[in-house]
Coordinates of all heavy atoms in Angstrom, one line a residue:
M1 N 6.7 -5.3 0.6 CA 5.5 -4.7 1.1 C 4.7 -5.7 2.1 O 4.8 -6.9 1.8 CB 4.7 -4.4 0.0 CG 5.2 -3.3 -0.9 SD 3.9 -2.9 -2.3 CE 3.9 -4.4 -3.0
A2 N 4.1 -5.2 3.0 CA 3.4 -6.0 3.9 C 2.1 -5.2 4.4 O 2.3 -4.1 4.7 CB 4.1 -6.6 5.0
P3 N 1.0 -5.7 4.4 CA 0.0 -5.0 5.0 C 0.1 -4.8 6.5 O 0.6 -5.7 7.3 CB -1.4 -5.9 4.7 CG -0.8 -7.3 4.4 CD 0.6 -7.1 4.1
D4 N -0.4 -3.7 7.0 CA -0.3 -3.3 8.4 C -1.3 -4.0 9.3 O -1.1 -4.4 10.4 CB -0.4 -1.8 8.5 CG -0.2 -1.4 10.0 OD1 0.8 -1.5 10.5 OD2 -1.2 -0.9 10.6
A5 N -2.5 -4.2 8.7 CA -3.6 -4.8 9.4 C -4.4 -5.6 8.5 O -4.6 -5.3 7.4 CB -4.4 -3.8 10.2
R6 N -4.9 -6.9 8.9 CA -5.8 -7.6 8.0 C -7.0 -8.0 8.8 O -7.0 -8.2 10.0 CB -5.0 -8.9 7.7 CG -3.8 -8.7 6.7 CD -2.9 -9.8 6.7 NE -2.0 -9.7 7.7 CZ -1.2 -10.6 8.2 NH1 -1.4 -11.9 7.8 NH2 -0.3 -10.5 9.1
S7 N -8.0 -8.1 8.1 CA -9.3 -8.6 8.6 C -9.2 -10.0 9.1 O -8.5 -10.8 8.4 CB -10.5 -8.5 7.7 OG -10.7 -7.0 7.4
S8 N -9.9 -10.4 10.1 CA -9.8 -11.8 10.5 C -10.9 -12.7 9.8 O -11.7 -12.0 9.1 CB -10.1 -11.9 11.9 OG -11.4 -11.5 12.4
L9 N -10.9 -14.0 10.0 CA -11.9 -14.7 9.3 C -13.3 -14.8 10.2 O -14.1 -15.5 9.8 CB -11.4 -16.1 9.2 CG -10.2 -16.3 8.2 CD1 -9.6 -17.7 8.3 CD2 -10.6 -15.8 6.9
F10 N -13.2 -14.1 11.3 CA -14.5 -14.1 12.2 C -15.4 -13.0 11.7 O -14.9 -12.1 11.0 CB -13.9 -13.9 13.7 CG -13.0 -15.1 14.1 CD1 -11.6 -14.8 14.1 CD2 -13.3 -16.3 14.3 CE1 -10.8 -15.8 14.5 CE2 -12.5 -17.3 14.7 CZ -11.1 -17.0 14.7
Q11 N -16.5 -13.0 12.3 CA -17.5 -12.1 11.9 C -17.2 -10.6 12.4 O -17.3 -9.7 11.7 CB -18.9 -12.4 12.4 CG -19.6 -13.4 11.6 CD -21.0 -13.7 12.1 OE1 -21.4 -13.4 13.2 NE2 -21.8 -14.2 11.2
N12 N -16.7 -10.6 13.7 CA -16.4 -9.3 14.3 C -14.9 -9.2 14.7 O -14.4 -10.2 15.1 CB -17.2 -9.0 15.5 CG -18.7 -8.9 15.1 OD1 -19.1 -8.2 14.1 ND2 -19.7 -9.6 15.8
G13 N -14.2 -8.1 14.5 CA -12.9 -7.9 15.0 C -11.9 -8.0 13.9 O -12.4 -8.1 12.7
A14 N -10.6 -7.6 14.2 CA -9.6 -7.8 13.2 C -8.4 -8.2 13.9 O -8.2 -8.1 15.1 CB -9.6 -6.3 12.6
A15 N -7.6 -8.7 13.1 CA -6.1 -9.0 13.5 C -5.2 -7.9 13.1 O -5.2 -7.3 11.9 CB -5.6 -10.3 12.9
V16 N -4.3 -7.3 14.0 CA -3.6 -6.2 13.7 C -2.1 -6.5 13.9 O -1.6 -7.2 14.9 CB -4.0 -5.0 14.5 CG1 -3.0 -3.7 14.3 CG2 -5.3 -4.6 14.3
L17 N -1.2 -6.2 12.9 CA 0.2 -6.4 13.0 C 0.7 -5.0 13.1 O 0.7 -4.1 12.3 CB 0.7 -7.0 11.8 CG 2.2 -6.9 11.6 CD1 2.9 -7.8 12.7 CD2 2.7 -7.5 10.4
W18 N 1.4 -4.6 14.3 CA 1.9 -3.3 14.5 C 3.3 -3.1 13.9 O 4.1 -4.1 14.2 CB 2.0 -2.9 16.1 CG 0.6 -2.8 16.6 CD1 0.0 -3.7 17.4 CD2 -0.3 -1.6 16.4 NE1 -1.3 -3.1 17.7 CE2 -1.4 -1.9 17.1 CE3 -0.2 -0.4 15.7 CZ2 -2.4 -1.0 17.1 CZ3 -1.3 0.3 15.8 CH2 -2.5 0.0 16.5
V19 N 3.6 -2.2 13.1 CA 4.9 -1.9 12.5 C 5.5 -0.7 13.2 O 4.9 0.4 13.2 CB 4.7 -1.8 11.0 CG1 6.2 -1.6 10.5 CG2 4.1 -3.0 10.4
E20 N 6.6 -0.9 13.9 CA 7.2 0.2 14.6 C 8.3 0.9 13.9 O 8.9 0.2 12.9 CB 7.7 -0.2 16.0 CG 6.5 -0.7 16.9 CD 7.1 -1.3 18.2 OE1 8.3 -1.4 18.4 OE2 6.2 -1.5 19.2
N21 N 8.7 2.0 14.3 CA 9.9 2.8 13.8 C 9.7 3.1 12.2 O 10.6 2.8 11.4 CB 11.2 2.1 14.0 CG 11.3 1.9 15.4 OD1 11.3 2.8 16.3 ND2 11.9 0.6 15.8
T22 N 8.5 3.6 11.9 CA 8.2 4.0 10.6 C 8.0 5.4 10.4 O 7.8 6.1 11.3 CB 6.9 3.2 10.0 OG1 5.8 3.6 10.9 CG2 7.1 1.7 10.1
S23 N 8.1 5.9 9.1 CA 7.7 7.3 8.8 C 6.6 7.3 7.9 O 6.2 6.4 7.1 CB 9.0 7.8 7.9 OG 10.0 7.7 8.8
N24 N 5.8 8.4 8.0 CA 4.6 8.7 7.2 C 5.0 9.3 5.8 O 6.0 9.9 5.8 CB 3.7 9.6 7.9 CG 3.0 9.0 9.1 OD1 2.7 7.8 9.1 ND2 2.8 9.8 10.1
W25 N 4.2 9.0 4.9 CA 4.5 9.5 3.4 C 4.0 10.9 3.6 O 3.0 11.4 4.0 CB 3.5 8.8 2.6 CG 3.8 9.1 1.1 CD1 3.4 10.1 0.4 CD2 4.4 8.1 0.2 NE1 3.7 10.0 -0.9 CE2 4.4 8.8 -1.1 CE3 5.0 6.9 0.3 CZ2 4.9 8.2 -2.2 CZ3 5.6 6.4 -0.9 CH2 5.5 7.1 -2.0
S26 N 4.8 11.7 2.9 CA 4.5 13.2 2.9 C 4.2 13.6 1.3 O 5.0 13.4 0.5 CB 5.7 14.1 3.3 OG 5.5 15.4 3.0
I27 N 3.1 14.1 1.1 CA 2.7 14.5 -0.2 C 3.5 15.8 -0.7 O 3.9 15.9 -1.8 CB 1.2 14.9 -0.4 CG1 0.7 14.9 -1.8 CG2 0.8 16.0 0.3 CD1 0.6 13.6 -2.5
A28 N 3.9 16.6 0.2 CA 4.8 17.8 -0.1 C 6.1 17.4 -0.5 O 6.8 17.9 -1.3 CB 4.7 18.8 1.1
K29 N 6.6 16.4 0.2 CA 8.0 15.9 -0.1 C 8.1 14.4 -0.2 O 8.3 13.6 0.9 CB 9.0 16.3 1.0 CG 10.4 16.1 0.7 CD 11.4 16.7 1.7 CE 12.8 16.2 1.3 NZ 13.7 16.6 2.4
P30 N 7.5 13.7 -1.2 CA 7.4 12.3 -1.3 C 8.8 11.7 -0.9 O 9.8 12.1 -1.4 CB 6.9 11.9 -2.6 CG 6.3 13.2 -3.1 CD 7.0 14.3 -2.5
P31 N 8.8 10.5 -0.3 CA 10.1 9.8 -0.1 C 10.6 9.2 -1.3 O 9.9 8.8 -2.3 CB 9.6 8.7 0.9 CG 8.2 8.5 0.7 CD 7.6 9.7 0.4
Q32 N 11.8 9.2 -1.5 CA 12.5 8.6 -2.6 C 13.6 7.6 -2.2 O 14.7 7.9 -1.8 CB 13.2 9.8 -3.5 CG 13.7 9.2 -4.7 CD 12.7 8.6 -5.7 OE1 11.6 9.0 -5.9 NE2 13.1 7.3 -6.2
G33 N 13.3 6.3 -2.2 CA 14.3 5.3 -1.6 C 15.2 5.0 -2.8 O 15.2 5.5 -4.0
P34 N 16.1 4.0 -2.4 CA 17.1 3.6 -3.4 C 16.4 2.8 -4.7 O 15.5 2.0 -4.5 CB 18.0 2.6 -2.6 CG 17.1 2.2 -1.5 CD 16.2 3.2 -1.2
E35 N 16.9 3.3 -5.7 CA 16.5 2.6 -7.1 C 17.3 1.4 -7.4 O 18.5 1.3 -7.1 CB 16.5 3.7 -8.2 CG 15.6 4.8 -7.9 CD 14.1 4.5 -8.0 OE1 13.7 3.3 -8.4 OE2 13.4 5.2 -7.6
P36 N 16.8 0.4 -8.1 CA 15.4 0.3 -8.7 C 14.4 -0.2 -7.7 O 13.2 -0.3 -8.0 CB 15.6 -0.5 -9.9 CG 16.7 -1.6 -9.5 CD 17.6 -0.6 -8.6
Q37 N 14.7 -0.5 -6.5 CA 14.0 -1.3 -5.6 C 12.7 -0.4 -5.2 O 11.6 -1.0 -5.1 CB 14.7 -1.7 -4.4 CG 15.7 -2.8 -4.6 CD 17.1 -2.2 -5.1 OE1 17.2 -1.0 -5.1 NE2 17.9 -3.0 -5.4
W38 N 13.0 0.9 -5.0 CA 11.8 1.7 -4.7 C 10.8 1.8 -5.7 O 9.6 1.6 -5.3 CB 12.4 3.2 -4.2 CG 11.3 4.0 -3.7 CD1 10.8 5.1 -4.4 CD2 10.6 3.9 -2.5 NE1 9.8 5.7 -3.6 CE2 9.7 5.0 -2.4 CE3 10.7 3.1 -1.4 CZ2 8.9 5.2 -1.3 CZ3 10.0 3.4 -0.3 CH2 9.1 4.5 -0.2
S39 N 11.1 2.0 -6.9 CA 10.1 2.1 -7.9 C 9.5 0.8 -8.0 O 8.2 0.7 -8.4 CB 10.8 2.4 -9.2 OG 11.2 3.8 -9.3
L40 N 10.2 -0.4 -7.9 CA 9.4 -1.7 -8.0 C 8.4 -1.8 -7.0 O 7.4 -2.4 -7.2 CB 10.6 -2.8 -7.9 CG 10.1 -4.2 -8.0 CD1 9.6 -4.5 -9.3 CD2 11.3 -5.1 -7.8
Q41 N 8.8 -1.5 -5.7 CA 7.8 -1.4 -4.7 C 6.4 -0.7 -5.0 O 5.4 -1.1 -4.7 CB 8.3 -1.0 -3.2 CG 9.3 -1.9 -2.7 CD 9.7 -1.4 -1.3 OE1 9.0 -1.8 -0.4 NE2 10.7 -0.7 -1.2
L42 N 6.7 0.5 -5.5 CA 5.6 1.3 -5.9 C 4.7 0.8 -6.9 O 3.5 0.8 -7.0 CB 6.1 2.8 -6.4 CG 6.7 3.6 -5.3 CD1 7.2 5.0 -5.9 CD2 5.8 3.9 -4.1
T43 N 5.4 0.2 -8.0 CA 4.7 -0.6 -9.0 C 3.9 -1.7 -8.4 O 2.8 -2.0 -8.8 CB 5.6 -1.0 -10.1 OG1 6.4 -0.1 -10.7 CG2 5.0 -1.9 -11.2
R44 N 4.5 -2.5 -7.6 CA 3.8 -3.7 -7.0 C 2.7 -3.0 -6.1 O 1.5 -3.8 -6.0 CB 4.7 -4.4 -6.1 CG 5.6 -5.3 -7.1 CD 6.6 -6.1 -6.3 NE 7.4 -6.9 -7.2 CZ 8.5 -7.6 -6.9 NH1 8.8 -7.6 -5.6 NH2 9.0 -8.3 -7.7
M45 N 2.8 -1.9 -5.4 CA 1.6 -1.4 -4.7 C 0.5 -1.1 -5.7 O -0.6 -1.5 -5.2 CB 2.1 -0.1 -4.0 CG 1.0 0.7 -3.4 SD 1.3 2.4 -3.0 CE 1.6 3.1 -4.6
K46 N 0.7 -0.5 -6.8 CA -0.3 -0.2 -7.7 C -1.0 -1.5 -8.3 O -2.3 -1.6 -8.3 CB 0.2 0.6 -8.8 CG 0.6 2.0 -8.4 CD 1.3 2.8 -9.6 CE 1.8 4.0 -9.1 NZ 2.6 4.9 -10.2
M47 N -0.2 -2.5 -8.4 CA -0.7 -3.7 -9.0 C -1.7 -4.4 -7.9 O -2.7 -4.9 -8.2 CB 0.4 -4.7 -9.5 CG 1.2 -4.4 -10.6 SD 2.5 -5.4 -11.0 CE 1.9 -7.0 -11.0
F48 N -1.2 -4.4 -6.7 CA -1.9 -4.9 -5.6 C -3.3 -4.2 -5.4 O -4.3 -4.8 -5.2 CB -1.2 -4.9 -4.3 CG -1.8 -5.6 -3.1 CD1 -2.0 -7.0 -3.0 CD2 -2.4 -4.8 -2.1 CE1 -2.6 -7.5 -2.0 CE2 -2.9 -5.3 -1.1 CZ -3.2 -6.7 -1.0
D49 N -3.1 -2.8 -5.5 CA -4.5 -2.1 -5.3 C -5.5 -2.3 -6.5 O -6.6 -2.5 -6.3 CB -4.1 -0.6 -5.4 CG -3.6 -0.2 -3.9 OD1 -3.8 -1.0 -3.0 OD2 -3.1 0.9 -3.9
L50 N -5.0 -2.7 -7.8 CA -5.8 -2.9 -8.9 C -6.4 -4.4 -8.6 O -7.6 -4.4 -8.8 CB -5.0 -3.0 -10.2 CG -4.6 -1.6 -10.7 CD1 -3.7 -1.7 -11.8 CD2 -6.0 -0.9 -11.2
L51 N -5.7 -5.2 -8.1 CA -6.1 -6.6 -7.8 C -7.2 -6.6 -6.8 O -8.2 -7.4 -7.1 CB -4.9 -7.5 -7.4 CG -5.3 -9.0 -6.9 CD1 -5.7 -9.7 -8.3 CD2 -4.2 -9.6 -6.2
I52 N -7.2 -5.9 -5.7 CA -8.1 -5.9 -4.7 C -9.1 -4.7 -4.8 O -10.0 -4.7 -4.0 CB -7.4 -5.9 -3.3 CG1 -6.8 -4.5 -3.1 CG2 -6.5 -7.0 -3.2 CD1 -6.2 -4.4 -1.5
A53 N -9.0 -4.0 -6.0 CA -9.9 -2.8 -6.1 C -10.0 -1.9 -5.0 O -11.0 -1.4 -4.5 CB -11.3 -3.3 -6.5
N54 N -8.7 -1.6 -4.5 CA -8.6 -0.6 -3.5 C -8.7 0.8 -4.1 O -7.7 1.4 -4.7 CB -7.3 -0.7 -2.7 CG -7.1 0.2 -1.4 OD1 -8.1 1.0 -1.2 ND2 -6.0 0.0 -0.9
I55 N -9.8 1.5 -3.8 CA -10.0 2.9 -4.3 C -9.5 4.0 -3.4 O -9.8 5.1 -3.7 CB -11.6 3.1 -4.7 CG1 -12.5 2.9 -3.4 CG2 -11.9 2.1 -5.7 CD1 -13.8 3.2 -3.5
D56 N -9.0 3.6 -2.3 CA -8.6 4.6 -1.3 C -7.2 4.6 -0.9 O -6.8 5.0 0.2 CB -9.5 4.3 0.0 CG -9.4 5.4 1.1 OD1 -9.3 6.5 0.6 OD2 -9.3 5.1 2.3
R57 N -6.3 4.5 -1.9 CA -4.9 4.6 -1.6 C -4.4 6.1 -1.6 O -4.8 6.8 -2.5 CB -4.0 3.9 -2.6 CG -2.5 4.0 -2.4 CD -2.0 3.2 -1.3 NE -2.3 1.8 -1.2 CZ -2.5 1.1 -0.2 NH1 -2.6 1.7 1.0 NH2 -2.8 -0.2 -0.4
N58 N -4.0 6.4 -0.5 CA -3.5 7.9 -0.3 C -2.3 7.9 0.5 O -1.9 6.9 1.2 CB -4.6 8.8 0.1 CG -5.2 8.4 1.4 OD1 -4.5 8.4 2.5 ND2 -6.4 7.8 1.5
Q59 N -1.6 9.1 0.6 CA -0.5 9.2 1.5 C -0.8 8.9 2.9 O 0.2 8.7 3.7 CB 0.1 10.7 1.4 CG -0.7 11.8 2.0 CD -1.7 12.4 1.1 OE1 -2.0 11.9 0.1 NE2 -2.2 13.5 1.5
G60 N -1.9 9.0 3.5 CA -2.3 8.7 4.8 C -2.2 7.1 5.1 O -2.1 6.8 6.3
N61 N -2.2 6.3 4.2 CA -2.1 5.0 4.4 C -0.8 4.2 3.7 O -0.9 3.1 3.2 CB -3.4 4.3 4.1 CG -4.0 4.5 2.7 OD1 -3.1 4.7 1.7 ND2 -5.3 4.5 2.6
L62 N 0.2 5.1 3.8 CA 1.5 4.4 3.2 C 2.6 4.9 4.2 O 2.6 6.0 4.6 CB 1.9 5.1 1.9 CG 1.1 4.7 0.6 CD1 1.4 5.7 -0.5 CD2 1.3 3.3 0.4
I63 N 3.2 3.9 4.8 CA 4.4 4.1 5.7 C 5.6 3.3 5.2 O 5.4 2.4 4.5 CB 4.0 3.8 7.1 CG1 3.6 2.2 7.2 CG2 2.9 4.7 7.7 CD1 3.2 1.8 8.6
Y64 N 6.8 3.8 5.6 CA 8.0 3.0 5.2 C 9.1 3.1 6.5 O 8.9 4.0 7.3 CB 8.5 3.6 4.0 CG 8.8 5.2 4.2 CD1 10.2 5.6 4.4 CD2 7.9 6.1 4.0 CE1 10.5 7.0 4.5 CE2 8.2 7.5 4.0 CZ 9.5 7.8 4.4 OH 9.8 9.2 4.6
D65 N 9.9 2.1 6.5 CA 10.9 2.1 7.5 C 12.2 2.6 7.0 O 12.4 3.1 6.0 CB 11.0 0.8 8.1 CG 11.5 -0.3 7.2 OD1 12.0 0.0 6.1 OD2 11.4 -1.6 7.5
A66 N 13.2 2.7 8.0 CA 14.5 3.2 7.7 C 15.2 2.5 6.6 O 16.2 3.0 6.0 CB 15.3 3.2 8.9
D67 N 14.9 1.2 6.4 CA 15.4 0.3 5.2 C 14.6 0.4 3.9 O 14.9 -0.3 3.0 CB 15.5 -1.1 5.7 CG 16.5 -1.3 6.8 OD1 17.5 -0.7 6.8 OD2 16.2 -2.3 7.7
W68 N 13.7 1.4 3.9 CA 12.9 1.7 2.7 C 12.0 0.6 2.4 O 11.6 0.4 1.2 CB 13.7 2.0 1.6 CG 14.5 3.4 1.7 CD1 15.9 3.5 2.2 CD2 14.0 4.7 1.8 NE1 16.2 4.8 2.3 CE2 15.0 5.6 2.2 CE3 12.8 5.3 1.5 CZ2 14.9 7.0 2.2 CZ3 12.6 6.6 1.6 CH2 13.7 7.4 2.0
H69 N 11.5 -0.1 3.4 CA 10.4 -1.2 3.0 C 9.0 -0.4 3.1 O 8.8 0.4 4.1 CB 10.5 -2.3 4.1 CG 11.7 -3.1 4.1 ND1 12.5 -3.2 5.2 CD2 12.2 -4.0 3.2 CE1 13.5 -3.9 4.9 NE2 13.3 -4.3 3.7
L70 N 8.2 -0.5 2.1 CA 7.0 0.1 2.1 C 5.9 -0.7 2.6 O 5.8 -2.0 2.4 CB 6.7 0.4 0.5 CG 5.4 1.1 0.2 CD1 5.4 2.5 0.8 CD2 5.3 1.2 -1.3
F71 N 5.1 -0.2 3.5 CA 4.0 -0.9 4.1 C 2.8 -0.3 3.7 O 2.5 1.0 3.8 CB 4.2 -0.9 5.8 CG 5.4 -1.5 6.2 CD1 6.6 -0.8 6.5 CD2 5.4 -2.9 6.4 CE1 7.7 -1.4 6.9 CE2 6.5 -3.5 6.9 CZ 7.7 -2.8 7.1
L72 N 1.8 -1.0 3.2 CA 0.5 -0.7 2.8 C -0.4 -0.9 3.9 O -0.6 -2.0 4.4 CB 0.1 -1.4 1.6 CG 1.0 -1.5 0.4 CD1 0.4 -2.3 -0.7 CD2 1.4 -0.1 -0.1
I73 N -1.1 0.2 4.3 CA -2.1 0.0 5.5 C -3.5 0.5 5.1 O -3.6 1.2 4.0 CB -1.6 0.8 6.7 CG1 -1.5 2.2 6.5 CG2 -0.3 0.2 7.2 CD1 -1.3 3.1 7.7
D74 N -4.5 0.1 5.8 CA -5.9 0.5 5.5 C -6.4 0.1 4.3 O -6.4 0.7 3.3 CB -5.9 2.1 5.8 CG -7.4 2.5 5.5 OD1 -8.3 1.6 5.7 OD2 -7.8 3.7 5.6
H75 N -6.9 -1.1 4.3 CA -7.5 -1.8 3.1 C -9.1 -1.8 3.2 O -9.7 -2.7 2.7 CB -7.0 -3.2 2.8 CG -5.5 -3.1 2.5 ND1 -4.4 -3.2 3.4 CD2 -4.9 -2.8 1.3 CE1 -3.4 -3.1 2.8 NE2 -3.5 -2.9 1.6
S76 N -9.7 -0.9 4.1 CA -11.0 -0.9 4.4 C -11.9 -0.6 3.3 O -13.1 -1.0 3.3 CB -11.4 0.0 5.5 OG -11.0 1.3 5.1
R77 N -11.5 -0.1 2.1 CA -12.3 0.1 1.1 C -11.9 -0.8 -0.2 O -12.2 -0.4 -1.3 CB -12.3 1.7 0.7 CG -12.8 2.6 1.8 CD -12.9 4.0 1.5 NE -13.9 4.2 0.5 CZ -14.0 5.3 -0.3 NH1 -13.1 6.2 0.0 NH2 -14.8 5.5 -1.1
A78 N -11.3 -1.9 0.1 CA -11.1 -2.8 -1.0 C -12.1 -3.9 -1.1 O -13.0 -4.0 -0.1 CB -9.7 -3.4 -0.6
F79 N -12.1 -4.7 -2.1 CA -13.1 -5.7 -2.4 C -14.6 -5.2 -2.2 O -15.4 -5.8 -1.7 CB -12.8 -6.9 -1.5 CG -11.6 -7.5 -1.7 CD1 -10.6 -7.5 -0.7 CD2 -11.4 -8.1 -2.8 CE1 -9.4 -8.2 -0.9 CE2 -10.1 -8.9 -3.1 CZ -9.1 -8.7 -2.1
I80 N -14.8 -4.0 -2.7 CA -16.2 -3.5 -2.8 C -16.9 -3.8 -3.9 O -16.3 -4.2 -5.0 CB -16.2 -2.0 -2.5 CG1 -15.5 -1.2 -3.5 CG2 -15.6 -1.7 -1.1 CD1 -15.4 0.3 -3.5
D81 N -18.2 -3.6 -4.0 CA -19.0 -4.0 -5.1 C -19.0 -2.8 -6.2 O -19.8 -2.9 -7.2 CB -20.3 -4.5 -4.8 CG -21.1 -3.7 -4.0 OD1 -20.7 -2.4 -3.7 OD2 -22.2 -3.8 -3.7
K82 N -18.4 -1.7 -6.0 CA -18.3 -0.7 -6.9 C -17.7 -1.0 -8.2 O -16.7 -1.5 -8.3 CB -17.7 0.6 -6.2 CG -17.7 1.9 -7.0 CD -16.9 2.9 -6.2 CE -16.8 4.2 -6.9 NZ -16.2 5.3 -6.4
K83 N -18.4 -0.6 -9.3 CA -17.9 -0.9 -10.6 C -17.0 0.1 -11.1 O -16.0 -0.2 -12.0 CB -19.0 -1.2 -11.6 CG -20.0 -2.1 -11.2 CD -19.7 -3.4 -11.9 CE -20.9 -4.4 -11.6 NZ -20.6 -5.3 -10.6
D84 N -17.0 1.4 -10.7 CA -16.1 2.4 -11.2 C -14.8 2.5 -10.2 O -15.0 2.6 -9.0 CB -17.0 3.7 -10.9 CG -16.2 5.0 -11.3 OD1 -15.0 4.7 -12.0 OD2 -16.6 6.0 -11.0
L85 N -13.8 2.2 -10.9 CA -12.5 2.1 -10.1 C -11.8 3.4 -10.2 O -10.5 3.4 -10.0 CB -11.7 1.0 -10.6 CG -12.4 -0.5 -10.5 CD1 -11.5 -1.5 -11.0 CD2 -12.8 -0.7 -9.0
K86 N -12.3 4.6 -10.2 CA -11.7 5.8 -10.3 C -11.1 6.0 -8.9 O -11.6 5.7 -7.9 CB -12.6 7.0 -10.5 CG -13.1 7.0 -12.0 CD -14.0 8.2 -12.1 CE -14.5 8.2 -13.6 NZ -15.6 9.1 -13.9
G87 N -9.8 6.5 -8.9 CA -9.1 6.7 -7.6 C -7.9 5.7 -7.5 O -7.1 5.9 -6.7
I88 N -7.9 4.7 -8.4 CA -6.9 3.8 -8.3 C -5.7 4.3 -9.3 O -6.0 4.6 -10.4 CB -7.2 2.4 -8.8 CG1 -8.3 1.8 -7.7 CG2 -6.1 1.5 -8.9 CD1 -8.8 0.3 -8.1
A89 N -4.5 4.3 -8.7 CA -3.4 4.9 -9.6 C -3.2 3.9 -10.9 O -3.2 2.7 -10.8 CB -2.1 4.8 -8.8
P90 N -2.9 4.6 -12.0 CA -2.7 3.8 -13.2 C -1.4 3.2 -13.2 O -0.4 3.7 -12.5 CB -2.6 4.9 -14.2 CG -2.4 6.2 -13.5 CD -2.9 6.1 -12.3
L91 N -1.3 2.1 -13.8 CA -0.1 1.3 -13.8 C 0.9 1.8 -15.0 O 0.5 1.9 -16.0 CB -0.4 -0.2 -14.0 CG 0.4 -1.3 -13.6 CD1 0.7 -1.1 -12.1 CD2 -0.1 -2.7 -13.9
G92 N 2.1 2.0 -14.6 CA 3.1 2.5 -15.6 C 3.9 1.4 -16.0 O 4.3 1.6 -17.3
R93 N 4.2 0.4 -15.4 CA 5.0 -0.7 -15.8 C 4.6 -1.9 -15.0 O 4.1 -1.8 -13.9 CB 6.5 -0.3 -15.7 CG 7.1 -0.4 -14.2 CD 8.5 -0.2 -14.3 NE 9.0 -1.2 -13.3 CZ 10.2 -1.2 -12.8 NH1 11.1 -0.3 -13.1 NH2 10.6 -2.1 -11.9
V94 N 5.2 -3.1 -15.4 CA 4.8 -4.2 -14.7 C 6.1 -5.1 -14.8 O 6.9 -5.2 -15.8 CB 3.7 -5.1 -15.4 CG1 3.5 -6.5 -14.7 CG2 2.4 -4.3 -15.6
D95 N 6.5 -5.6 -13.6 CA 7.7 -6.4 -13.5 C 7.3 -7.9 -13.6 O 6.1 -8.3 -13.7 CB 8.5 -6.2 -12.1 CG 7.5 -6.7 -11.0 OD1 6.4 -6.5 -11.0 OD2 8.2 -7.2 -10.0
R96 N 8.3 -8.8 -13.8 CA 7.9 -10.2 -14.0 C 8.1 -10.8 -12.7 O 8.8 -10.6 -11.8 CB 8.8 -10.8 -14.9 CG 9.0 -10.3 -16.2 CD 9.7 -11.2 -17.1 NE 11.0 -10.6 -17.6 CZ 11.9 -11.2 -18.2 NH1 11.9 -12.5 -18.1 NH2 12.9 -10.5 -18.6

């Protein structure tokens, strides 16, 4: 997994990494990559979102490439001061 864009250390602006040849996540027909690697990526995504308190993970900010690498994009609602973390996917398992 790799973030698509990251905020810079400067006051204004952002650093952006463009990822080409990707597909969007479809809620009607979610992608199913090769196991167990695909499930491991999804678990790590959930762990990362819990770590950064990302309350806005949805199918609009998940993309993947032809090799089934999952890219997490749009972290604009992470590291907020909100105490209620509703909206973050529950963790089903943890890898080592």
Side-chain angles (χ1 to χ4, degrees):
M1 294 181 298
D4 182 68
R6 290 168 269 158
S7 296
S8 69
L9 297 176
F10 304 103
Q11 282 187 340
N12 297 310
V16 177
L17 170 66
W18 292 103
V19 182
E20 297 181 348
N21 302 317
T22 60
S23 299
N24 293 325
W25 188 285
S26 169
I27 195 71
K29 187 177 176 187
Q32 184 61 48
E35 294 294 346
Q37 294 83 8
W38 184 251
S39 292
L40 183 61
Q41 287 188 88
L42 296 178
T43 298
R44 288 180 176 171
M45 170 195 68
K46 293 174 186 177
M47 288 175 54
F48 182 70
D49 283 343
L50 285 168
L51 177 69
I52 66 171
N54 185 5
I55 60 170
D56 191 34
R57 179 67 60 215
N58 61 66
Q59 71 272 9
N61 52 34
L62 291 169
I63 56 176
Y64 59 96
D65 65 13
D67 293 324
W68 297 101
H69 296 116
L70 183 62
F71 297 93
L72 311 178
I73 62 174
D74 186 9
H75 296 91
S76 62
R77 297 186 65 195
F79 295 113
I80 60 173
D81 59 1
K82 183 178 176 181
K83 304 258 188 262
D84 179 12
L85 298 180
K86 288 182 182 171
I88 296 180
L91 207 55
R93 72 172 224 196
V94 178
D95 67 320
R96 305 191 240 161

